[in-house]
Amino acid sequence: MWLPFFFRSLTYESTIMRHFTRTLLLTLSILLSTTAIDAREPSMWRTLHRLALQQRQGNVVPLAEGHTRLRFGISLTPEKSAGAGTIKISQITADGSRKPLKLSGIIERDNFWYSVDESSFVDIPSQKVSIDIVKGIESKLVTLDFDLTNSRNQELVIPVNLERFSHLAKQKMISGNTHVHIMRKTYRQATDYLQLVPESDDLRLVWVSHLRRIPDEREYITNQFTPSSLHAISTDKVTLGFGEEHRHNFGIGGEGWGHVMLLDIPELVRPVSIGPGIMRSGSDGRPVQKGILAARGSGGTVIWCHNDFGLEDIANWTLGFIHAQNIFDGGSVGSYDATFYRYLNVGMQVPFSTGTDWFIYDYSRAYVPVRGRVTSNKWLAALRKGETFITNGPVLSFTANQKSIGSTIQLASGSNTVQVNATGKGRTDFKGLELVHNGHVVATVDTQSTDGYFVAEMDTTVDLSEPGWLAVRVPVDNNKNIYDRLIFGHTSPIYFQQNGQSIFDPDVALDLMAEMQQARDKAASTGQFDDDAARNSVIGVYDRAIERMEELIESGGK
């Protein structure tokens, strides 16, 4: 692929730059002296950030002798204007091999990838290089080779129009990361990160959440963000929502009551973190369930974090207090079988969700349908309905009898033939698709390579004679994406009822009840409680859930 590029001499009009700087400082002085800057006033925050961005773009940074300055204008069809993307630059050695370069001055990602936009630049020694460029998970990879040995002390501007193999946003499928924090950055650096990195990954919504841990929280810069300040720094390409990671641990990272994301809450649910294991003081006498109920009462969305990490997870799912389940958000704790499939097999409806926890180190995201203007509220409403698929690579679609993800289909008596259609597309080979029925793989299809990406298409039928669920996933044992993360992808289910009855497996229910009893015993023996009332507040969570599961077993799930 031939792409135009432009060289220009690296000389600057210092007089103009000095005039710009004086104008900028004067403008800032006027704003600061005549306006009460309030985090609740989005226009003021946007004005200040725009001026700061202009200052960054105009900064005079000397170019070292023998180096070339690279800038990028990355667009993803059908967008016309340049935006953000991710790049990897490698030295082409004498034997023709590629050696990735560690770059400076731009936002570093994993595996030698970097986020850039039209205001970014990188200076590298003038040599033969190979540049890989992508944006998000729906673009083909572009690789450009350049010999920079004849462009010393010059600037190279590289406009790149990336080609899509998928356009989920056009289909009103919108991406979101439900679990992000940032630490060890300044407020300005965190702001730049939250505006640039999601855009470079083609990620539409990000929930930035408050959390506490003494003394580490001194470095948690995102704790300084509020709902209004996040709204203020949102852009037309990235919407930033507010949340809280409400949690309890025994020790710094030991398993305790568990962690939950409380999203789109009007204010923090306090205490944010519970117990001496995290806060160095107090007791363990408050279940996370209290925070869950407070968030629900204020209209918030509740997502259980880190898959099966935490003692209260089964109890709160059993009592119907959780809206969605996160997996692969900050690790690979547990499996689909440990949580999702078991909950689903006792009649629960379990929307799949995901995120990245600290920073955005992977493409981990959930997609949901959103009609009209994209808002946090609309996105979370679709998540709660279970209209989701999660992925860090392949884009998925799935219907059963032409019904979409999250639907409930009523089965007639006897055998029912269900038509299943599913598609997966990905830049990296994701090894195919698997159709999962009640936790068991019942059909598979392999990927095929086509025109710079991989595709898998499933067109099959299954016979169902009793309640259950179907979902589509990529194989668990998979390849890695560009960020060196194991590829995953899974749809939320389509549910099947018969005579209004959902699936209910009594053996699974008995196992879940036994685990809740074990969790109860551990909570009672390990927790530090100030009095019997505090102890009973925690133990009561398990007692109520065990009683509810006993009722379900006795009634066959009704």
Side-chain angles (χ1 to χ4, degrees):
M1 177 185 296
W2 182 86
L3 292 172
F5 55 90
F6 308 93
F7 288 97
R8 66 188 183 199
S9 174
L10 200 69
T11 59
Y12 296 95
E13 298 296 330
S14 58
T15 302
I16 295 175
M17 290 307 304
R18 284 195 298 271
H19 175 72
F20 169 79
T21 302
R22 283 197 301 268
T23 303
L24 174 66
L25 292 175
L26 177 60
T27 305
L28 287 171
S29 298
I30 295 171
L31 288 169
L32 290 171
S33 62
T34 62
T35 307
I37 298 177
D38 191 328
R40 294 170 296 182
E41 177 51 56
S43 61
M44 181 58 64
W45 282 83
R46 290 195 178 102
T47 298
L48 291 174
H49 186 74
R50 183 170 64 252
L51 289 169
L53 180 61
Q54 291 171 349
Q55 184 186 37
R56 183 183 74 182
Q57 291 174 311
N59 277 342
V60 179
V61 178
L63 180 64
E65 181 67 28
H67 284 61
T68 301
R69 177 161 293 170
L70 301 179
R71 292 185 186 268
F72 299 86
I74 300 172
S75 60
L76 180 59
T77 57
E79 292 84 357
K80 300 301 182 183
S81 59
T86 49
I87 64 169
K88 174 187 269 188
I89 303 179
S90 301
Q91 176 191 9
I92 302 176
T93 61
D95 62 2
S97 61
R98 266 66 170 167
K99 181 182 178 181
L101 298 177
K102 187 170 180 62
L103 309 177
S104 61
I106 52 179
I107 295 176
E108 183 176 4
R109 312 296 298 283
D110 281 6
N111 202 28
F112 293 98
W113 287 89
Y114 295 82
S115 289
V116 297
D117 65 5
E118 65 276 15
S119 72
S120 309
F121 64 84
V122 58
D123 296 344
I124 61 173
S126 301
Q127 59 191 318
K128 292 182 179 180
V129 296
S130 178
I131 306 175
D132 294 327
I133 307 168
V134 297
K135 180 168 185 169
I137 64 174
E138 299 179 76
S139 78
K140 297 179 183 180
L141 172 72
V142 167
T143 299
L144 304 173
D145 291 350
F146 292 101
D147 185 350
L148 303 179
T149 55
N150 295 321
S151 59
R152 291 180 176 86
N153 309 324
Q154 291 184 326
E155 183 173 280
L156 173 62
V157 181
I158 308 174
V160 181
N161 187 24
L162 297 172
E163 184 180 353
R164 288 182 179 273
F165 56 81
S166 170
H167 197 172
L168 289 175
K170 189 174 182 179
Q171 303 168 37
K172 308 303 181 184
M173 293 296 292
I174 306 301
S175 58
N177 180 328
T178 63
H179 189 171
V180 170
H181 323 281
I182 297 174
M183 62 176 167
R184 297 171 186 166
K185 300 288 184 184
T186 65
Y187 193 93
R188 164 68 180 281
Q189 289 170 336
T191 298
D192 284 348
Y193 186 97
L194 290 170
Q195 291 183 322
L196 175 57
V197 170
E199 183 188 345
S200 73
D201 282 359
D202 202 22
L203 178 61
R204 185 65 177 82
L205 292 100
V206 177
W207 281 268
V208 181
S209 293
H210 190 104
L211 76 166
R212 296 201 62 194
R213 176 188 285 136
I214 293 177
D216 301 5
E217 65 184 14
R218 291 174 296 186
E219 297 181 313
Y220 296 173
I221 188 61
T222 38
N223 282 2
Q224 295 185 24
F225 289 93
T226 65
S228 55
S229 63
L230 288 168
H231 172 70
I233 64 171
S234 295
T235 70
D236 60 341
K237 297 179 180 178
V238 179
T239 297
L240 300 171
F242 177 76
E244 169 187 331
E245 185 170 359
H246 187 65
R247 60 186 188 163
H248 171 274
N249 288 81
F250 290 126
I252 294 297
E255 186 177 36
W257 311 154
H259 297 198
V260 286
M261 305 308 300
L262 310 178
L263 304 185
D264 267 15
I265 50 177
E267 58 186 10
L268 292 174
V269 173
R270 299 182 186 277
V272 174
S273 292
I274 303 165
I278 298 179
M279 298 306 294
R280 302 287 181 92
S281 63
S283 76
D284 301 306
R286 180 185 174 93
V288 294
Q289 187 179 98
K290 283 192 174 181
I292 290 169
L293 295 176
R296 288 178 63 100
S298 65
T301 295
V302 179
I303 304 174
W304 192 267
C305 296
H306 310 307
N307 202 25
D308 62 349
F309 184 78
L311 300 179
E312 274 189 49
D313 57 342
I314 301 173
N316 282 295
W317 269 109
T318 299
L319 293 169
F321 297 150
I322 309 298
H323 290 122
Q325 178 85 10
N326 265 3
I327 187 170
F328 309 131
D329 55 334
S332 55
V333 176
S335 64
Y336 302 127
D337 303 89
T339 51
F340 294 93
Y341 295 173
R342 295 200 299 163
Y343 300 162
L344 291 166
N345 283 344
V346 292
M348 300 180 193
Q349 295 204 353
V350 186
F352 283 58
S353 179
T354 190
T356 49
D357 200 350
W358 287 107
F359 297 91
I360 303 174
Y361 60 83
D362 191 10
Y363 283 130
S364 299
R365 63 195 56 198
Y367 281 88
V368 307
V370 176
R371 301 294 176 185
R373 187 171 70 91
V374 175
T375 66
S376 175
N377 185 57
K378 287 182 181 178
W379 196 96
L380 290 172
L383 174 73
R384 294 192 298 269
K385 292 177 182 177
E387 300 173 341
T388 74
F389 74 85
I390 62 170
T391 183
N392 68 343
V395 298
L396 305 177
S397 66
F398 166 49
T399 62
N401 285 353
Q402 298 183 326
K403 298 294 184 180
S404 59
I405 297 168
S407 298
T408 298
I409 298 174
Q410 298 296 328
L411 297 175
S413 299
S415 181
N416 296 257
T417 298
V418 176
Q419 175 65 43
V420 172
N421 295 95
T423 302
K425 296 179 181 179
R427 187 168 49 237
T428 303
D429 186 1
F430 52 93
K431 294 190 175 182
L433 296 177
E434 298 177 337
L435 179 64
V436 183
H437 175 234
N438 296 352
H440 304 286
V441 175
V442 295
T444 63
V445 63
D446 294 332
T447 53
Q448 302 293 325
S449 177
T450 175
D451 192 25
Y453 64 100
F454 293 84
V455 63
E457 295 181 329
M458 179 178 289
D459 181 348
T460 189
T461 59
V462 291
D463 291 328
L464 303 181
S465 58
E466 58 186 21
W469 54 271
L470 289 170
V472 168
R473 73 183 191 189
V474 304
V476 174
D477 181 15
N478 218 301
N479 294 314
K480 292 184 177 182
N481 63 19
I482 67 168
Y483 293 138
D484 200 35
R485 302 289 175 170
L486 193 70
I487 290 173
F488 67 84
H490 206 303
T491 71
S492 289
I494 295 174
Y495 303 91
F496 297 86
Q497 294 181 342
Q498 201 165 47
N499 299 320
Q501 176 66 44
S502 300
I503 182 176
F504 187 81
D505 186 329
D507 291 333
V508 174
L510 287 168
D511 286 344
L512 291 172
M513 192 165 66
E515 286 190 28
M516 284 191 284
Q517 183 62 56
Q518 293 170 2
R520 180 192 187 281
D521 294 343
K522 182 175 180 180
S525 63
T526 310
Q528 299 177 25
F529 306 109
D530 291 336
D531 50 39
D532 288 343
R535 182 181 184 279
N536 292 336
S537 175
V538 170
I539 301 306
V541 170
Y542 308 96
D543 289 341
R544 291 187 292 274
I546 291 170
E547 181 180 359
R548 175 57 182 154
M549 190 63 76
E550 287 175 337
E551 293 172 353
L552 290 169
I553 292 171
E554 290 176 4
S555 66
K558 297 179 181 177

